[in-house]
PDB file of all heavy atoms in Angstrom:
ATOM      1  N   PRO I 104      42.073   1.661  32.727  1.00 75.00           N
ATOM      2  CA  PRO I 104      41.955   0.197  32.628  1.00 75.00           C
ATOM      3  C   PRO I 104      41.812  -0.470  33.999  1.00 75.00           C
ATOM      4  O   PRO I 104      41.085  -1.431  34.134  1.00 75.00           O
ATOM      5  CB  PRO I 104      43.261  -0.239  31.964  1.00 75.00           C
ATOM      6  CG  PRO I 104      44.013   0.985  31.630  1.00 75.00           C
ATOM      7  CD  PRO I 104      43.373   2.153  32.299  1.00 75.00           C
ATOM      8  N   VAL I 105      42.527   0.042  35.025  1.00 70.00           N
ATOM      9  CA  VAL I 105      42.437  -0.605  36.327  1.00 70.00           C
ATOM     10  C   VAL I 105      41.900   0.419  37.315  1.00 70.00           C
ATOM     11  O   VAL I 105      42.552   1.418  37.595  1.00 70.00           O
ATOM     12  CB  VAL I 105      43.826  -1.083  36.796  1.00 70.00           C
ATOM     13  CG1 VAL I 105      43.683  -1.879  38.083  1.00 70.00           C
ATOM     14  CG2 VAL I 105      44.483  -1.908  35.710  1.00 70.00           C
ATOM     15  N   ARG I 106      40.692   0.161  37.798  1.00 66.00           N
ATOM     16  CA  ARG I 106      40.116   1.109  38.765  1.00 66.00           C
ATOM     17  C   ARG I 106      40.707   0.855  40.134  1.00 66.00           C
ATOM     18  O   ARG I 106      40.875  -0.280  40.552  1.00 66.00           O
ATOM     19  CB  ARG I 106      38.598   0.915  38.823  1.00 66.00           C
ATOM     20  CG  ARG I 106      37.910   1.378  37.559  1.00 66.00           C
ATOM     21  CD  ARG I 106      36.996   2.582  37.822  1.00 66.00           C
ATOM     22  NE  ARG I 106      36.298   2.516  39.077  1.00 66.00           N
ATOM     23  CZ  ARG I 106      35.067   2.034  39.210  1.00 66.00           C
ATOM     24  NH1 ARG I 106      34.431   1.537  38.181  1.00 66.00           N
ATOM     25  NH2 ARG I 106      34.486   2.046  40.388  1.00 66.00           N
ATOM     26  N   LYS I 107      41.024   1.944  40.843  1.00 66.00           N
ATOM     27  CA  LYS I 107      41.629   1.778  42.171  1.00 66.00           C
ATOM     28  C   LYS I 107      40.597   1.333  43.198  1.00 66.00           C
ATOM     29  O   LYS I 107      40.826   0.418  43.964  1.00 66.00           O
ATOM     30  CB  LYS I 107      42.268   3.095  42.608  1.00 66.00           C
ATOM     31  CG  LYS I 107      43.598   3.303  41.924  1.00 66.00           C
ATOM     32  CD  LYS I 107      44.394   4.390  42.615  1.00 66.00           C
ATOM     33  CE  LYS I 107      45.543   4.815  41.731  1.00 66.00           C
ATOM     34  NZ  LYS I 107      45.310   6.083  41.059  1.00 66.00           N
ATOM     35  N   ASN I 108      39.431   2.002  43.188  1.00 66.00           N
ATOM     36  CA  ASN I 108      38.423   1.640  44.190  1.00 66.00           C
ATOM     37  C   ASN I 108      37.316   0.844  43.517  1.00 66.00           C
ATOM     38  O   ASN I 108      36.673   1.339  42.604  1.00 66.00           O
ATOM     39  CB  ASN I 108      37.795   2.887  44.799  1.00 66.00           C
ATOM     40  CG  ASN I 108      38.850   3.886  45.165  1.00 66.00           C
ATOM     41  OD1 ASN I 108      39.857   3.523  45.742  1.00 66.00           O
ATOM     42  ND2 ASN I 108      38.630   5.138  44.790  1.00 66.00           N
ATOM     43  N   PRO I 109      37.130  -0.382  43.969  1.00 65.00           N
ATOM     44  CA  PRO I 109      36.040  -1.146  43.377  1.00 65.00           C
ATOM     45  C   PRO I 109      34.710  -0.531  43.841  1.00 65.00           C
ATOM     46  O   PRO I 109      34.677   0.309  44.725  1.00 65.00           O
ATOM     47  CB  PRO I 109      36.249  -2.540  43.960  1.00 65.00           C
ATOM     48  CG  PRO I 109      37.095  -2.357  45.166  1.00 65.00           C
ATOM     49  CD  PRO I 109      37.811  -1.060  45.052  1.00 65.00           C
ATOM     50  N   GLY I 110      33.629  -0.995  43.232  1.00 69.00           N
ATOM     51  CA  GLY I 110      32.316  -0.460  43.614  1.00 69.00           C
ATOM     52  C   GLY I 110      31.923   0.666  42.681  1.00 69.00           C
ATOM     53  O   GLY I 110      32.622   1.011  41.741  1.00 69.00           O
ATOM     54  N   ARG I 111      30.755   1.237  42.958  1.00 73.00           N
ATOM     55  CA  ARG I 111      30.184   2.255  42.084  1.00 73.00           C
ATOM     56  C   ARG I 111      30.960   3.564  42.213  1.00 73.00           C
ATOM     57  O   ARG I 111      31.192   4.055  43.318  1.00 73.00           O
ATOM     58  CB  ARG I 111      28.743   2.469  42.572  1.00 73.00           C
ATOM     59  CG  ARG I 111      27.754   2.652  41.489  1.00 73.00           C
ATOM     60  CD  ARG I 111      27.360   1.367  40.803  1.00 73.00           C
ATOM     61  NE  ARG I 111      26.452   1.723  39.711  1.00 73.00           N
ATOM     62  CZ  ARG I 111      26.850   1.929  38.477  1.00 73.00           C
ATOM     63  NH1 ARG I 111      28.120   1.799  38.175  1.00 73.00           N
ATOM     64  NH2 ARG I 111      26.003   2.248  37.539  1.00 73.00           N
ATOM     65  N   SER I 112      31.345   4.144  41.051  1.00 79.00           N
ATOM     66  CA  SER I 112      32.023   5.435  41.121  1.00 79.00           C
ATOM     67  C   SER I 112      30.959   6.531  41.139  1.00 79.00           C
ATOM     68  O   SER I 112      29.791   6.282  40.861  1.00 79.00           O
ATOM     69  CB  SER I 112      32.925   5.605  39.914  1.00 79.00           C
ATOM     70  OG  SER I 112      32.129   5.646  38.757  1.00 79.00           O
ATOM     71  N   LYS I 113      31.401   7.763  41.449  1.00 82.00           N
ATOM     72  CA  LYS I 113      30.464   8.900  41.438  1.00 82.00           C
ATOM     73  C   LYS I 113      29.877   9.069  40.039  1.00 82.00           C
ATOM     74  O   LYS I 113      28.708   9.341  39.857  1.00 82.00           O
ATOM     75  CB  LYS I 113      31.212  10.178  41.812  1.00 82.00           C
ATOM     76  CG  LYS I 113      31.335  10.358  43.295  1.00 82.00           C
ATOM     77  CD  LYS I 113      31.865  11.755  43.582  1.00 82.00           C
ATOM     78  CE  LYS I 113      32.415  11.779  44.985  1.00 82.00           C
ATOM     79  NZ  LYS I 113      33.661  12.463  45.135  1.00 82.00           N
ATOM     80  N   PHE I 114      30.764   8.865  39.058  1.00 80.00           N
ATOM     81  CA  PHE I 114      30.349   9.001  37.669  1.00 80.00           C
ATOM     82  C   PHE I 114      29.242   7.990  37.343  1.00 80.00           C
ATOM     83  O   PHE I 114      28.238   8.302  36.701  1.00 80.00           O
ATOM     84  CB  PHE I 114      31.580   8.791  36.788  1.00 80.00           C
ATOM     85  CG  PHE I 114      31.266   8.578  35.352  1.00 80.00           C
ATOM     86  CD1 PHE I 114      30.897   9.653  34.558  1.00 80.00           C
ATOM     87  CD2 PHE I 114      31.327   7.310  34.795  1.00 80.00           C
ATOM     88  CE1 PHE I 114      30.608   9.450  33.223  1.00 80.00           C
ATOM     89  CE2 PHE I 114      31.038   7.108  33.469  1.00 80.00           C
ATOM     90  CZ  PHE I 114      30.675   8.180  32.679  1.00 80.00           C
ATOM     91  N   GLY I 115      29.397   6.759  37.838  1.00 82.00           N
ATOM     92  CA  GLY I 115      28.407   5.705  37.600  1.00 82.00           C
ATOM     93  C   GLY I 115      27.067   6.083  38.206  1.00 82.00           C
ATOM     94  O   GLY I 115      26.013   5.940  37.567  1.00 82.00           O
ATOM     95  N   VAL I 116      27.095   6.611  39.423  1.00 89.00           N
ATOM     96  CA  VAL I 116      25.848   6.996  40.100  1.00 89.00           C
ATOM     97  C   VAL I 116      25.169   8.125  39.325  1.00 89.00           C
ATOM     98  O   VAL I 116      23.950   8.104  39.093  1.00 89.00           O
ATOM     99  CB  VAL I 116      26.150   7.443  41.548  1.00 89.00           C
ATOM    100  CG1 VAL I 116      24.887   7.947  42.215  1.00 89.00           C
ATOM    101  CG2 VAL I 116      26.742   6.289  42.349  1.00 89.00           C
ATOM    102  N   ALA I 117      25.994   9.095  38.846  1.00 89.00           N
ATOM    103  CA  ALA I 117      25.425  10.218  38.096  1.00 89.00           C
ATOM    104  C   ALA I 117      24.746   9.725  36.821  1.00 89.00           C
ATOM    105  O   ALA I 117      23.626  10.152  36.498  1.00 89.00           O
ATOM    106  CB  ALA I 117      26.522  11.231  37.774  1.00 89.00           C
ATOM    107  N   THR I 118      25.388   8.801  36.110  1.00 88.00           N
ATOM    108  CA  THR I 118      24.767   8.331  34.858  1.00 88.00           C
ATOM    109  C   THR I 118      23.487   7.556  35.156  1.00 88.00           C
ATOM    110  O   THR I 118      22.518   7.637  34.397  1.00 88.00           O
ATOM    111  CB  THR I 118      25.724   7.455  34.030  1.00 88.00           C
ATOM    112  OG1 THR I 118      26.283   6.476  34.876  1.00 88.00           O
ATOM    113  CG2 THR I 118      26.804   8.255  33.372  1.00 88.00           C
ATOM    114  N   ASP I 119      23.474   6.815  36.279  1.00 91.00           N
ATOM    115  CA  ASP I 119      22.239   6.104  36.645  1.00 91.00           C
ATOM    116  C   ASP I 119      21.096   7.096  36.849  1.00 91.00           C
ATOM    117  O   ASP I 119      19.979   6.893  36.359  1.00 91.00           O
ATOM    118  CB  ASP I 119      22.436   5.320  37.951  1.00 91.00           C
ATOM    119  CG  ASP I 119      23.349   4.127  37.735  1.00 91.00           C
ATOM    120  OD1 ASP I 119      23.637   3.812  36.554  1.00 91.00           O
ATOM    121  OD2 ASP I 119      23.783   3.533  38.736  1.00 91.00           O
ATOM    122  N   LEU I 120      21.397   8.200  37.537  1.00 93.00           N
ATOM    123  CA  LEU I 120      20.353   9.196  37.814  1.00 93.00           C
ATOM    124  C   LEU I 120      19.860   9.833  36.516  1.00 93.00           C
ATOM    125  O   LEU I 120      18.661  10.019  36.306  1.00 93.00           O
ATOM    126  CB  LEU I 120      20.897  10.281  38.759  1.00 93.00           C
ATOM    127  CG  LEU I 120      21.176   9.791  40.191  1.00 93.00           C
ATOM    128  CD1 LEU I 120      21.776  10.913  41.035  1.00 93.00           C
ATOM    129  CD2 LEU I 120      19.884   9.275  40.831  1.00 93.00           C
ATOM    130  N   ILE I 121      20.829  10.158  35.622  1.00 94.00           N
ATOM    131  CA  ILE I 121      20.437  10.775  34.340  1.00 94.00           C
ATOM    132  C   ILE I 121      19.542   9.814  33.562  1.00 94.00           C
ATOM    133  O   ILE I 121      18.539  10.197  32.955  1.00 94.00           O
ATOM    134  CB  ILE I 121      21.693  11.160  33.524  1.00 94.00           C
ATOM    135  CG1 ILE I 121      22.466  12.246  34.278  1.00 94.00           C
ATOM    136  CG2 ILE I 121      21.318  11.637  32.125  1.00 94.00           C
ATOM    137  CD1 ILE I 121      23.795  12.612  33.644  1.00 94.00           C
ATOM    138  N   THR I 122      19.884   8.524  33.589  1.00 94.00           N
ATOM    139  CA  THR I 122      19.100   7.535  32.851  1.00 94.00           C
ATOM    140  C   THR I 122      17.670   7.474  33.399  1.00 94.00           C
ATOM    141  O   THR I 122      16.691   7.443  32.630  1.00 94.00           O
ATOM    142  CB  THR I 122      19.761   6.146  32.966  1.00 94.00           C
ATOM    143  OG1 THR I 122      21.116   6.279  32.603  1.00 94.00           O
ATOM    144  CG2 THR I 122      19.080   5.124  32.080  1.00 94.00           C
ATOM    145  N   ILE I 123      17.555   7.467  34.728  1.00 95.00           N
ATOM    146  CA  ILE I 123      16.206   7.414  35.327  1.00 95.00           C
ATOM    147  C   ILE I 123      15.410   8.658  34.919  1.00 95.00           C
ATOM    148  O   ILE I 123      14.245   8.572  34.502  1.00 95.00           O
ATOM    149  CB  ILE I 123      16.308   7.308  36.863  1.00 95.00           C
ATOM    150  CG1 ILE I 123      16.915   5.956  37.230  1.00 95.00           C
ATOM    151  CG2 ILE I 123      14.925   7.461  37.511  1.00 95.00           C
ATOM    152  CD1 ILE I 123      17.348   5.829  38.668  1.00 95.00           C
ATOM    153  N   ALA I 124      16.092   9.827  34.967  1.00 96.00           N
ATOM    154  CA  ALA I 124      15.411  11.076  34.591  1.00 96.00           C
ATOM    155  C   ALA I 124      14.953  11.001  33.135  1.00 96.00           C
ATOM    156  O   ALA I 124      13.839  11.437  32.786  1.00 96.00           O
ATOM    157  CB  ALA I 124      16.361  12.254  34.790  1.00 96.00           C
ATOM    158  N   TYR I 125      15.787  10.405  32.289  1.00 96.00           N
ATOM    159  CA  TYR I 125      15.468  10.314  30.857  1.00 96.00           C
ATOM    160  C   TYR I 125      14.223   9.454  30.648  1.00 96.00           C
ATOM    161  O   TYR I 125      13.311   9.811  29.885  1.00 96.00           O
ATOM    162  CB  TYR I 125      16.676   9.728  30.120  1.00 96.00           C
ATOM    163  CG  TYR I 125      16.535   9.769  28.614  1.00 96.00           C
ATOM    164  CD1 TYR I 125      16.818  10.933  27.910  1.00 96.00           C
ATOM    165  CD2 TYR I 125      16.120   8.641  27.911  1.00 96.00           C
ATOM    166  CE1 TYR I 125      16.694  10.974  26.542  1.00 96.00           C
ATOM    167  CE2 TYR I 125      15.984   8.666  26.538  1.00 96.00           C
ATOM    168  CZ  TYR I 125      16.281   9.846  25.851  1.00 96.00           C
ATOM    169  OH  TYR I 125      16.152   9.888  24.492  1.00 96.00           O
ATOM    170  N   ILE I 126      14.173   8.322  31.346  1.00 96.00           N
ATOM    171  CA  ILE I 126      13.018   7.425  31.196  1.00 96.00           C
ATOM    172  C   ILE I 126      11.745   8.131  31.673  1.00 96.00           C
ATOM    173  O   ILE I 126      10.692   8.070  31.016  1.00 96.00           O
ATOM    174  CB  ILE I 126      13.256   6.104  31.983  1.00 96.00           C
ATOM    175  CG1 ILE I 126      14.403   5.338  31.327  1.00 96.00           C
ATOM    176  CG2 ILE I 126      11.989   5.250  32.007  1.00 96.00           C
ATOM    177  CD1 ILE I 126      14.901   4.144  32.107  1.00 96.00           C
ATOM    178  N   ILE I 127      11.879   8.855  32.800  1.00 96.00           N
ATOM    179  CA  ILE I 127      10.701   9.582  33.312  1.00 96.00           C
ATOM    180  C   ILE I 127      10.247  10.631  32.283  1.00 96.00           C
ATOM    181  O   ILE I 127       9.056  10.789  31.996  1.00 96.00           O
ATOM    182  CB  ILE I 127      11.026  10.253  34.672  1.00 96.00           C
ATOM    183  CG1 ILE I 127      11.254   9.151  35.716  1.00 96.00           C
ATOM    184  CG2 ILE I 127       9.897  11.188  35.110  1.00 96.00           C
ATOM    185  CD1 ILE I 127      11.767   9.649  37.048  1.00 96.00           C
ATOM    186  N   ALA I 128      11.234  11.318  31.650  1.00 96.00           N
ATOM    187  CA  ALA I 128      10.892  12.338  30.647  1.00 96.00           C
ATOM    188  C   ALA I 128      10.122  11.713  29.483  1.00 96.00           C
ATOM    189  O   ALA I 128       9.157  12.299  28.967  1.00 96.00           O
ATOM    190  CB  ALA I 128      12.165  13.019  30.149  1.00 96.00           C
ATOM    191  N   LEU I 129      10.522  10.491  29.079  1.00 95.00           N
ATOM    192  CA  LEU I 129       9.824   9.823  27.968  1.00 95.00           C
ATOM    193  C   LEU I 129       8.399   9.444  28.389  1.00 95.00           C
ATOM    194  O   LEU I 129       7.448   9.582  27.608  1.00 95.00           O
ATOM    195  CB  LEU I 129      10.584   8.561  27.545  1.00 95.00           C
ATOM    196  CG  LEU I 129      11.872   8.780  26.743  1.00 95.00           C
ATOM    197  CD1 LEU I 129      12.572   7.453  26.475  1.00 95.00           C
ATOM    198  CD2 LEU I 129      11.591   9.489  25.411  1.00 95.00           C
ATOM    199  N   ILE I 130       8.268   8.982  29.631  1.00 96.00           N
ATOM    200  CA  ILE I 130       6.933   8.586  30.110  1.00 96.00           C
ATOM    201  C   ILE I 130       6.012   9.818  30.175  1.00 96.00           C
ATOM    202  O   ILE I 130       4.852   9.775  29.740  1.00 96.00           O
ATOM    203  CB  ILE I 130       7.031   7.902  31.497  1.00 96.00           C
ATOM    204  CG1 ILE I 130       7.780   6.576  31.352  1.00 96.00           C
ATOM    205  CG2 ILE I 130       5.642   7.654  32.086  1.00 96.00           C
ATOM    206  CD1 ILE I 130       8.150   5.905  32.656  1.00 96.00           C
ATOM    207  N   ILE I 131       6.587  10.930  30.683  1.00 96.00           N
ATOM    208  CA  ILE I 131       5.758  12.154  30.764  1.00 96.00           C
ATOM    209  C   ILE I 131       5.312  12.581  29.364  1.00 96.00           C
ATOM    210  O   ILE I 131       4.169  12.969  29.141  1.00 96.00           O
ATOM    211  CB  ILE I 131       6.542  13.291  31.460  1.00 96.00           C
ATOM    212  CG1 ILE I 131       6.781  12.906  32.928  1.00 96.00           C
ATOM    213  CG2 ILE I 131       5.785  14.622  31.379  1.00 96.00           C
ATOM    214  CD1 ILE I 131       7.668  13.884  33.687  1.00 96.00           C
ATOM    215  N   ASN I 132       6.223  12.428  28.384  1.00 95.00           N
ATOM    216  CA  ASN I 132       5.866  12.810  27.011  1.00 95.00           C
ATOM    217  C   ASN I 132       4.693  11.981  26.492  1.00 95.00           C
ATOM    218  O   ASN I 132       3.841  12.481  25.763  1.00 95.00           O
ATOM    219  CB  ASN I 132       7.072  12.647  26.093  1.00 95.00           C
ATOM    220  CG  ASN I 132       6.712  12.975  24.647  1.00 95.00           C
ATOM    221  OD1 ASN I 132       6.405  14.119  24.343  1.00 95.00           O
ATOM    222  ND2 ASN I 132       6.688  11.960  23.787  1.00 95.00           N
TER     223      ASN I 132
END
Side-chain angles (χ1 to χ4, degrees):
V105 186
R106 290 245 322 265
K107 282 195 194 103
N108 314 315
R111 220 77 184 94
S112 64
K113 276 190 199 137
F114 166 76
V116 175
T118 49
D119 289 349
L120 291 177
I121 295 174
T122 308
I123 293 167
Y125 188 81
I126 293 171
I127 293 172
L129 285 176
I130 294 170
I131 294 174
N132 177 66

